[in-house]
Amino acid sequence: MKQYENTDKLLEKLIEDSEEYNSITIPDGEANKRNLIRGLMNVRMPRAVSSELLDLQDKYLQEDLAAKGVVGLQDVRTIKDQYGSSFVYADKISLWQGDITRLKVGAIVNAANSQMLGCFIPGHRCIDNAIHSAAGLQLREECSHVMNKKRVRYGNQYKEPVGTATLTKAYNLPSDYVIHTVGPIVYGELTDSLQEELRNCYVNVLKCCEKNGITSVALCCISTGEFHFPAEEAARIAVQTAKDFLLRENNIERIVFNVFKDDDRKIYEKILKLV
């Protein structure tokens, strides 16, 4: 089956599945169709998904992943190998720039929001949207089940607090798991409390790895996008927290600092003393 045939069939099924957009017209052009597929996935509220829709979606997402290319841990060099770094635990730390949804590691970290259901803005460029879009509809469904259980326990108004770490399956992602954490939002001055909240995000993500036998993890730049945490200070907190964690006896074999923008790569290179 050709890629465009998969695209058409999945799009038809998504439109049929949609209560609000089931009269939408399928656009011309592969890029427009793919954008619409992502948008319909983004806005779909969590609910049961038919096996036919999931089969089409999974085939589509796996073909998309193959086209992007999976990056295995063996392809991500440590800073000792890549830069000749003498930084403490340089043989366990990597700096990798690229799309986190391509990484085949034990877990990737998602910078989630307090609803923990992913980003509902069609095609939004945040990491939450990217991870849910690449993982598939199953990820939102699992996150919804997790939140519903917590609302039974804590009340209907429950929102995920800043700094926790929630483990889910990764579905169509090449990683084994996704760890979701809600970072602090900076509205004005960067306070000690906000810095401590970000530190807790990284601490609890690493503790989650240790608890679940996850030996490799890709850490994203939590809170530095839509949540406005200053990028350089955030990177300092991430690196220091990882270093402190590795000083303890644990099963972590590799921590990958994942960056997407050139500016963030330069910040981490400076903090890790690679330049």
Side-chain angles (χ1 to χ4, degrees):
M1 183 180 286
K2 295 180 181 178
Q3 177 64 41
Y4 72 85
E5 292 173 332
N6 282 337
T7 304
D8 287 347
K9 289 194 174 185
L10 174 57
L11 189 47
E12 289 170 4
K13 186 55 65 174
L14 278 168
I15 292 172
E16 179 185 313
D17 169 78
S18 173
E19 297 176 358
E20 187 176 356
Y21 300 101
N22 57 18
S23 62
I24 198 168
T25 301
I26 296 178
D28 293 327
E30 180 73 7
N32 291 332
K33 291 176 182 180
R34 293 172 68 81
N35 286 338
L36 182 55
I37 285 172
R38 179 166 176 168
L40 289 171
M41 290 173 63
N42 292 161
V43 300
R44 188 184 189 277
M45 296 299 293
R47 62 180 187 277
V49 190
S50 72
S51 58
E52 184 179 3
L53 175 52
L54 285 183
D55 287 345
L56 287 168
Q57 173 211 250
D58 291 351
K59 182 176 292 187
Y60 172 87
L61 291 177
Q62 286 302 308
E63 288 178 349
D64 195 44
L65 177 61
K68 291 190 297 185
V70 173
V71 179
L73 195 58
Q74 72 278 4
D75 301 315
V76 181
R77 299 167 66 188
T78 66
I79 58 173
K80 180 178 180 180
D81 290 339
Q82 185 175 0
Y83 296 89
S85 173
S86 59
F87 192 84
V88 63
Y89 289 110
D91 59 337
K92 289 191 173 187
I93 294 172
S94 297
L95 175 62
W96 186 80
Q97 182 177 11
D99 179 356
I100 198 170
T101 68
R102 297 175 59 204
L103 286 175
K104 186 175 177 58
V105 293
I108 62 172
V109 173
N110 178 32
N113 57 53
S114 61
Q115 297 298 321
M116 284 283 291
L117 296 178
C119 172
F120 283 86
I121 302 173
H124 196 248
R125 306 318 297 176
C126 68
I127 193 171
D128 198 11
N129 190 298
I131 287 175
H132 274 264
S133 296
L137 299 172
Q138 301 98 315
L139 182 56
R140 179 167 285 170
E141 189 68 13
E142 181 177 354
C143 288
S144 178
H145 284 304
V146 169
M147 290 298 285
N148 285 340
K149 286 182 179 179
K150 291 185 177 182
R151 289 191 178 106
V152 168
R153 183 174 181 181
Y154 300 114
N156 289 334
Q157 302 306 312
Y158 175 82
K159 294 182 181 180
E160 191 70 12
V162 170
T164 62
T166 301
L167 186 72
T168 67
K169 296 178 183 178
Y171 300 101
N172 286 288
L173 294 163
S175 60
D176 295 325
Y177 299 99
V178 179
I179 302 175
H180 309 260
T181 187
V182 181
I185 302 175
V186 179
Y187 291 106
E189 180 185 357
L190 181 62
T191 63
D192 291 345
S193 176
L194 289 167
Q195 293 179 70
E196 185 63 24
E197 286 178 343
L198 184 62
R199 187 173 296 107
N200 287 339
C201 289
Y202 286 108
V203 167
N204 287 322
V205 163
L206 293 169
K207 284 182 177 179
C208 180
C209 290
E210 186 176 33
K211 177 181 177 181
N212 291 281
I214 297 168
T215 59
S216 59
V217 59
L219 304 175
C220 65
C221 301
I222 300 167
S223 282
T224 59
E226 298 295 318
F227 287 6
H228 308 298
F229 204 105
E232 186 161 350
E233 186 56 36
R236 291 187 188 282
I237 290 169
V239 170
Q240 186 63 51
T241 305
K243 186 172 74 172
D244 291 345
F245 196 84
L246 288 172
L247 288 170
R248 301 171 38 241
E249 185 175 343
N250 55 68
N251 61 354
I252 301 291
E253 296 175 3
R254 186 79 68 86
I255 293 177
V256 180
F257 292 109
N258 167 247
V259 297
F260 194 73
K261 298 183 293 186
D262 289 342
D263 287 346
D264 288 326
R265 187 196 75 245
K266 291 174 183 177
I267 288 170
Y268 272 90
E269 285 178 337
K270 175 183 174 183
I271 293 170
L272 289 165
K273 301 178 181 178
L274 304 178
V275 291

